[in-house]
Amino acid sequence: MENAGKNSISVVIAGGGSTYTPEIILMLLANLDRLPLRCIKLYDNDGERQGKLASAVKILIEERDPSIEFVATTDPKIAYTDVDFCLAHIRVGQLPMRELDEKIPLKYGVVGQETCGPGGLAYGLRSIPGVIENIDYMEKYSPNCWMLNYSNPAAIVAEACRRLRPHSRVINICDMPIGLEDSFARILGFKSRKQLDYRYFGLNHFGWYTSVKDPDGNELLPKLVEHELKYGNTMPGESMDDYTDHTWYDTALKVKDIVSLDPSMAPNSYLQYYLFPDDMVAHSDPQYTRANMVMDGREKRVFGECARIAEAGTAEGTSLRIGIHAEFIVDLATALAFNTHERMLLIVPNNGAIENFDPKAMVEIPCIVGKDGYEPLSIGTIPTFQKGLMYEQVCVEKLVVDAYEQHSYLKMLQAMSLSKTVPSANVAKKILDELIVANEGYWPELH
Ligand code: NAD
Ligand code: G6P
Ligand code: MN
């Protein structure tokens, strides 16, 4: 890749049947000038699901640039041979298992969420072997390939990578900061998030911005926080109709409460699940959770539109759109391929970057990205409130990976009991026992 010339890059999308695949394809196709591609492959272990998207993806690619080879496969050897990047977004157990992750804790009055609380821990135990399996295929068939992994729960998956595949070329990422930075730019009156410079520290779905500067280096964080204390991350006059759905509107509003706990920093909105679990549960419908919304919304829309494209034989007039999510992935791949030294938030081993925090924790911090990978920036010391919250959470995540490695019921029970979202070890045990039954065939047998 050192001499990457035009059309030299080959990518495989692992989890080809994901609802996010079409928007990633569109983003790749919109950026061929900076990330030229010779081949795009889709790989999934569910050929039927992937096939429903693949016919439309083939048309999208042919209509945009017929010189790009397209392959959709369930064969890891075909998928991972001769690739420079793997964009990984698998969901082990798919959306019906997400539904159980959310609904089981809610039965006991506990946060039911994809990546936070017991549901996130359950998903972690399912996700680890799937991600590791894909890393191993990559290393076997394309040892120089980079995996840009955003399969959730990213924090637990990243800890598993640190421990189980420490030398692999895997970079764990999350799009939440991109979404937050878009809001910051809007609030502060800038066209693009890229006009601003950020400092941030934390864990995945668990962090704080400590600086937001304009291109002249002026600090805008106080102005941002002043806004957040009044409106959260919404704009004055905005309503639910301005958001994709009410969950994201509620989340943007809730920032108002989160930031009041420390108005010297702008928080990641995922902290709502840890700091206000009672409010989150009160606003959840235990019969109809986010997984139901996604299955009835994004999944139907994306698969429906792909079926329409396949039937029509053309993508002309398609309602499929590029996602912000995908922009970040192209930026990262471009930084690695062409040594751009872009500054990006990645989930990496702390290793001293946060001076007063566990060096072996996987933290989300700004890094400079180039041809040889990433170089984390030094953060310095963090305050007691954030350090305390983060340490509890990082131990929860580590206990899940212990449970995976040791097949340990006790470690998983400790993880659930330690989670800030769970009020008592009694409740943790009830939820865990029900999750064990639900995850049969996905989790290692715990004893
Ligand atoms: P989805 O269920 O629609 O798609 C996931 C696909 O992965 C499915 O087609 C499934 O068959 C496939 N898969 C499962 N196990 C696999 C394996 N071992 N090998 C290959 N393929 C496998 O899910 P979705 O809602 O589109 O989300 C996909 C993933 O992306 C999830 O993990 C989600 O949490 C994650 N995501 C992460 C971020 C982030 O910021 N980190 C943002 C958006 C989505
Ligand atoms: C954000 C997070 C992801 C998460 C997604 C859930 O993008 O960064 O990690 O998977 O939200 O969105 P959904 O629409 O599936 O609930
Ligand atoms: Mn995320």
Side-chain angles (χ1 to χ4, degrees):
M1 232 171 43
E2 200 166 339
N3 301 310
K6 190 159 162 40
N7 292 345
S8 64
I9 292 171
S10 169
V11 302
V12 57
I13 298 181
S18 160
T19 56
Y20 290 100
T21 294
E23 68 176 54
I24 292 196
I25 297 290
L26 288 174
M27 178 53 89
L28 290 171
L29 294 174
N31 283 277
L32 293 171
D33 52 342
R34 61 182 180 127
L35 192 69
L37 300 176
R38 69 185 149 84
C39 181
I40 299 177
K41 304 191 212 188
L42 300 186
Y43 167 69
D44 205 290
N45 60 6
D46 179 343
E48 199 188 324
R49 182 178 172 88
Q50 175 172 265
K52 293 180 187 160
L53 300 183
S55 321
V57 167
K58 185 169 189 286
I59 292 169
L60 287 170
I61 295 172
E62 270 170 12
E63 289 185 347
R64 176 67 181 77
D65 186 343
S67 74
I68 300 172
E69 185 192 349
F70 173 68
V71 176
T73 181
T74 55
D75 180 340
K77 185 173 181 196
I78 295 173
Y80 280 100
T81 299
D82 185 31
V83 283
D84 302 301
F85 290 105
C86 169
L87 315 182
H89 58 191
I90 67 167
R91 183 188 291 285
V92 177
Q94 302 182 349
L95 288 158
M97 283 309 292
R98 174 177 181 175
E99 184 180 4
L100 293 176
D101 290 341
E102 293 168 348
K103 289 186 175 171
I104 291 172
L106 276 173
K107 279 214 286 200
Y108 300 93
V110 171
V111 167
Q113 216 277 329
E114 181 194 22
T115 63
C116 306
L121 310 187
Y123 185 19
L125 213 48
R126 272 203 314 282
S127 224
I128 296 170
V131 172
I132 297 292
E133 172 185 275
N134 277 275
I135 293 173
D136 290 348
Y137 291 141
M138 171 178 95
E139 299 201 319
K140 181 167 178 195
Y141 298 115
S142 283
N144 291 321
C145 181
W146 281 103
M147 180 181 286
L148 314 187
N149 180 51
Y150 39 101
S151 310
N152 268 320
I156 294 170
V157 165
E159 170 64 12
C161 292
R162 185 191 72 82
R163 243 191 260 185
L164 305 172
R165 295 294 180 274
H167 306 296
S168 298
R169 286 158 73 94
V170 182
I171 300 184
N172 293 289
I173 51 175
C174 169
D175 67 353
M176 197 59 211
I178 304 305
L180 289 165
E181 290 162 20
D182 272 343
S183 306
F184 298 166
R186 207 160 37 112
I187 290 166
L188 295 167
F190 288 82
K191 278 210 186 84
S192 157
R193 66 180 173 86
K194 293 202 174 181
Q195 290 170 276
L196 300 166
D197 282 325
Y198 310 92
R199 288 192 71 80
Y200 177 97
F201 72 87
L203 313 172
N204 177 240
H205 290 182
F206 203 107
W208 294 264
Y209 285 87
T210 53
S211 170
V212 179
K213 287 186 177 166
D214 73 11
D216 296 325
N218 299 307
E219 185 56 78
L220 303 178
L221 192 85
K223 194 173 158 199
L224 172 64
V225 168
E226 194 187 312
H227 175 104
E228 288 188 329
L229 286 165
K230 277 197 210 140
Y231 308 105
N233 282 346
T234 67
M235 297 301 281
E238 256 181 2
S239 73
M240 217 140 82
D241 304 338
D242 300 301
Y243 286 74
T244 36
D245 51 59
H246 78 80
T247 333
W248 288 110
Y249 176 67
D250 296 345
T251 298
L253 263 187
K254 193 69 185 166
V255 166
K256 191 173 147 174
D257 294 339
I258 308 172
V259 74
S260 70
L261 285 160
D262 185 350
S264 72
M265 301 178 188
N268 189 316
S269 49
Y270 266 96
L271 286 161
Q272 67 183 345
Y273 295 107
Y274 301 96
L275 294 169
F276 300 97
D278 47 352
D279 294 349
M280 294 302 114
V281 172
H283 282 99
S284 303
D285 177 350
Q287 309 302 327
Y288 193 82
T289 58
R290 184 78 200 155
N292 299 110
M293 290 178 69
V294 171
M295 288 187 274
D296 293 342
R298 186 171 66 238
E299 188 177 38
K300 278 213 166 67
R301 181 171 50 75
V302 169
F303 280 79
E305 178 59 6
C306 284
R308 193 196 64 78
I309 291 173
E311 173 77 28
T314 172
E316 211 176 301
T318 181
S319 58
L320 293 172
R321 293 281 170 270
I322 295 173
I324 51 157
H325 170 77
E327 186 188 42
F328 179 59
I329 294 154
V330 172
D331 287 345
L332 181 55
T334 307
L336 291 163
F338 301 111
N339 207 25
T340 64
H341 296 122
E342 187 166 350
R343 185 164 144 175
M344 313 189 80
L345 293 186
L346 308 177
I347 306 161
V348 298
N350 181 34
N351 210 9
I354 303 175
E355 200 184 311
N356 55 342
F357 200 62
D358 184 350
K360 291 189 171 156
M362 291 303 281
V363 294
E364 196 166 81
I365 51 174
C367 299
I368 305 295
V369 186
K371 191 167 76 56
D372 298 326
Y374 55 81
E375 295 174 64
L377 298 182
S378 158
I379 300 293
T381 57
I382 58 171
T384 307
F385 178 58
Q386 284 77 8
K387 188 173 79 167
L389 287 167
M390 278 167 60
Y391 194 58
E392 180 181 70
Q393 179 60 19
V394 96
C395 290
V396 170
E397 290 158 3
K398 284 180 178 293
L399 283 164
V400 174
V401 182
D402 290 345
Y404 175 79
E405 284 192 289
Q406 300 163 24
H407 296 196
S408 166
Y409 178 89
L410 190 62
K411 296 285 176 176
M412 203 59 186
L413 180 60
Q414 290 174 352
M416 299 248 168
S417 305
L418 185 61
S419 173
K420 195 168 168 54
T421 59
V422 180
S424 142
N426 288 323
V427 179
K429 185 166 189 325
K430 285 184 189 148
I431 296 175
L432 174 57
D433 288 344
E434 209 170 320
L435 283 168
I436 287 176
V437 176
N439 281 280
E440 205 192 328
Y442 291 111
W443 282 9
E445 210 171 304
L446 303 180
H447 34 75

